[in-house]
């Protein structure tokens, strides 16, 4: 277990990067010192945290200046660093994140188009491994509906993909949206978000065993 810097990436917007980053960090901070990093110029996670999801509990940094040095410093001082990335495959921020991360998580929606849009993510990870050979990568299925045939078919489709997928996934749940609206994580919603918390806990347990 050494996944100190966990970056949430996908070139596509709306796949759940910010949702996963914030809730993952909210679960990790219960286990050890955790720093959330906003690397997206849209600053969604900063706005979210600014509403109340931190910063007392969850310190947040914006990734500017020298991004490699900033990440290295945060990793020295925290057990976990979670980076919410912009929807991009290139640029100084993505380069720094890919050079520094121990693990990238790539949330994908259960649709073939979204899955194919993530093919470039495989190339990005392969390129990054030339300089960062220990970099691990996992797809995370998001907005899953267990009883939905498409979601079941997705599991089979990703199995044929060149990128391993986490067994744990994020189901489509109102709690993720409510947490965002209320400026908190699913952990902050109490009982009504129990199932969403269970999703995130399962993701964390799996990630910490990689
Ligand atoms: N598992 C989920 N269930 C329900 N809504 C979700 C889920 N994951 C994400 N969302 C919603 O989908 C939208 C896009 O998610 P977001 O995390 O902002 O994506 P990204 O950061 O990749 O652009 C947001 O409105 C978010 O609340
Ligand atoms: Mg986002």
């Amino acid at each position: 277990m050494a996944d100190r810097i966990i970056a949430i990436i996908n070139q596509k917007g709306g796949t759940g990067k910010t949702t996963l980053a914030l809730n993952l960090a909210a679960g990790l901070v219960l286990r050890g010192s955790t720093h959330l990093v906003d690397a997206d110029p849209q600053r969604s996670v900063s706005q979210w945290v600014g509403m109340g999801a931190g910063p007392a509990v969850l310190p947040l940094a914006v990734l500017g200046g020298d991004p490699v040095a900033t990440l290295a410093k945060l990793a020295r001082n925290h057990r976990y660093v979670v980076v919410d990335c912009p929807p991009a495959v290139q640029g100084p921020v993505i380069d720094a994140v890919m050079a520094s991360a121990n693990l990238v998580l790539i949330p994908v929606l259960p649709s073939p188009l979204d899955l194919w849009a993530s093919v470039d993510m495989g190339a990005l990870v392969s390129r990054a491994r030339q300089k960062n050979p220990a970099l691990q990568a996992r797809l995370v299925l998001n907005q899953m509906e267990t009883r939905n045939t498409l979601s079941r078919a997705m599991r089979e489709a990703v199995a044929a993909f060149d990128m391993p997928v986490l067994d744990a996934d994020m189901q489509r749940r109102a709690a993720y949206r409510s947490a965002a609206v209320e400026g908190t994580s699913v952990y902050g919603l109490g009982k009504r978000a129990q199932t969403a918390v269970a999703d995130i806990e399962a993701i964390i347990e799996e990630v910490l065993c990689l």
Side-chain angles (χ1 to χ4, degrees), residues 18 40 44 84:
T18 301
D40 186 352
S44 358
D84 182 34

Side-chain angles (χ1 to χ4, degrees), residues 41-174:
Q42 283 189 4
R43 299 284 173 249
S44 358
V45 90
S46 296
Q47 283 160 20
W48 193 345
V49 169
M51 286 170 70
V57 198
L58 202 54
L60 176 96
V62 159
L63 195 58
D66 178 346
V68 173
T70 305
L71 287 172
K73 183 159 180 249
L74 291 172
R76 273 198 302 278
N77 296 320
H78 298 275
R79 186 151 169 208
Y80 308 111
V81 177
V82 178
V83 191
D84 182 34
C85 289
V89 277
Q90 54 191 15
V93 162
I94 290 286
D95 290 349
V97 167
M98 298 304 287
S100 311
N102 303 103
L103 169 70
V104 290
L105 294 178
I106 307 165
V108 289
L109 298 178
S111 98
L113 285 181
D114 274 278
L115 189 58
W116 291 121
S118 306
V119 170
D120 289 357
M121 297 290 93
L124 179 67
V125 170
S126 303
R127 243 187 352 264
R129 282 193 180 127
Q130 292 170 8
K131 287 187 188 154
N132 182 6
L135 178 66
Q136 289 191 290
R138 295 289 184 278
L139 296 174
V140 184
L141 297 176
N142 184 23
Q143 304 241 20
M144 290 288 276
E145 294 167 86
T146 22
R147 278 177 295 279
N148 177 312
T149 325
L150 183 58
S151 290
R152 272 205 308 277
M154 267 301 280
R155 281 245 161 237
E156 288 158 26
V158 290
F161 220 65
D162 203 16
M163 171 96 62
V165 58
L166 287 189
D167 287 332
D169 59 30
M170 292 164 84
Q171 299 279 314
R172 182 201 290 275
R173 301 187 195 281

